[in-house]
């Protein structure tokens, strides 16, 4: 008989396999490579959640004790690592290309913010009772856009740039 720990590892690997299917599908996709970082995140989120719809009943059973989208749920940590290994290089490239600002310490939190967003969308999917999960689709669109608004250039960056401009102007 398999041990309880081994069974948990198998159950955990289901989500990782679903994520890796999505990540591998787009890893060598020329069209995906041309997308901006927001479009890449939207594409990955939509594709992953679509894969999860096939096993939603299993997830409802497996994650039945998930009370809040921010709970540290056993079984999601391996998914978190797989997600981060896919998304971090995409964010790094976007930063080098200037699509997202390099904010030193804060930039390290971008992958965490996107990971928390993915967990939120998964939680939302499990609670969604709309036809064809249209509310989940809207949740993906709105939550990824909002997260990318924080990750990307925003009012804080513009304020910081303006402050630097003013400081340089008064130093002359």
């Amino acid at each position: 008989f398999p041990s309880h720990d081994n069974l948990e590892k198998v159950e955990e690997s289901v989500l990782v396999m679903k994520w890796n299917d999505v990540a591998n599908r787009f890893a060598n996709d020329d069209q995906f490579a041309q997308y901006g970082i927001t479009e890449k995140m939207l594409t990955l989120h939509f594709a992953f959640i679509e894969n999860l719809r096939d096993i939603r009943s299993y997830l409802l059973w497996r994650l039945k004790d998930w009370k809040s989208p921010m709970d540290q749920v056993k079984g999601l940590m391996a998914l978190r690592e797989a997600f981060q290994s896919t998304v971090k290089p995409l964010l790094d490239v976007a930063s080098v290309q200037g699509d997202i600002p390099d904010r030193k310490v804060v930039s390290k939190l971008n992958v965490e913010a996107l990971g928390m967003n993915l967990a939120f969308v998964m939680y939302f999917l499990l609670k969604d009772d709309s036809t064809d999960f249209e509310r989940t689709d809207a949740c993906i669109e709105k939550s990824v856009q909002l997260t990318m608004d924080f990750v990307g250039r925003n009012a804080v960056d513009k304020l910081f740039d303006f402050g630097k401009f003013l400081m340089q102007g008064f130093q002359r």
Side-chain angles (χ1 to χ4, degrees):
F1 291 100
S3 74
H4 181 69
D5 288 341
N6 287 341
L7 188 57
E8 281 186 5
K9 294 285 185 209
V10 170
E11 290 173 346
E12 213 173 286
S13 71
V14 170
L15 289 172
V16 173
M17 286 188 309
K18 288 290 190 179
W19 175 261
N20 288 338
D21 287 346
V22 168
N24 291 335
R25 182 181 342 155
F26 294 108
N28 297 312
D29 184 311
D30 292 336
Q31 185 176 0
F32 180 80
Q34 299 302 313
Y35 291 167
I37 189 65
T38 299
E39 291 78 18
K40 286 178 181 175
M41 292 303 110
L42 283 166
T43 300
L44 291 171
H45 277 70
F46 274 115
F48 181 62
I49 295 301
E50 188 173 312
N51 270 1
L52 293 187
R53 288 177 185 172
D54 296 339
I55 61 165
R56 185 170 180 265
S57 295
Y58 164 76
L59 292 175
L60 285 168
W61 168 77
R62 176 71 175 101
L63 301 171
K64 63 186 172 289
D65 296 328
W66 196 3
K67 303 294 185 221
S68 161
M70 293 305 127
D71 284 350
Q72 290 290 336
V73 178
K74 213 176 210 183
L76 294 183
M77 296 315 287
L79 173 61
R80 177 180 175 259
E81 291 171 17
F83 175 84
Q84 287 181 348
S85 70
T86 301
V87 171
K88 184 170 181 342
L90 297 174
L91 291 173
D92 290 345
V93 168
S95 181
V96 168
Q97 294 174 340
D99 294 337
I100 58 175
D102 182 9
R103 296 185 186 116
K104 307 293 179 230
V105 176
V106 177
S107 290
K108 294 175 183 163
L109 300 176
N110 291 343
V111 72
E112 291 292 341
L114 286 160
M116 288 188 312
N117 186 74
L118 185 70
F120 172 76
V121 172
M122 286 177 58
Y123 182 83
F124 195 94
L125 170 69
L126 297 180
K127 304 297 182 194
D128 189 359
D129 60 0
S130 64
T131 306
D132 295 326
F133 303 104
E134 57 200 27
R135 289 181 52 221
T136 297
D137 289 345
C139 178
I140 293 169
E141 179 76 30
K142 292 176 186 311
S143 66
V144 170
Q145 287 289 348
L146 178 63
T147 304
M148 293 310 297
D149 283 349
F150 284 107
V151 169
R153 295 213 173 274
N154 58 40
V156 173
D157 296 300
K158 292 174 185 171
L159 181 63
F160 182 72
D161 288 344
F162 183 63
K164 278 179 31 181
F165 167 77
L166 288 177
M167 292 303 290
Q168 290 170 351
F170 287 120
Q171 291 176 355
R172 291 181 182 183

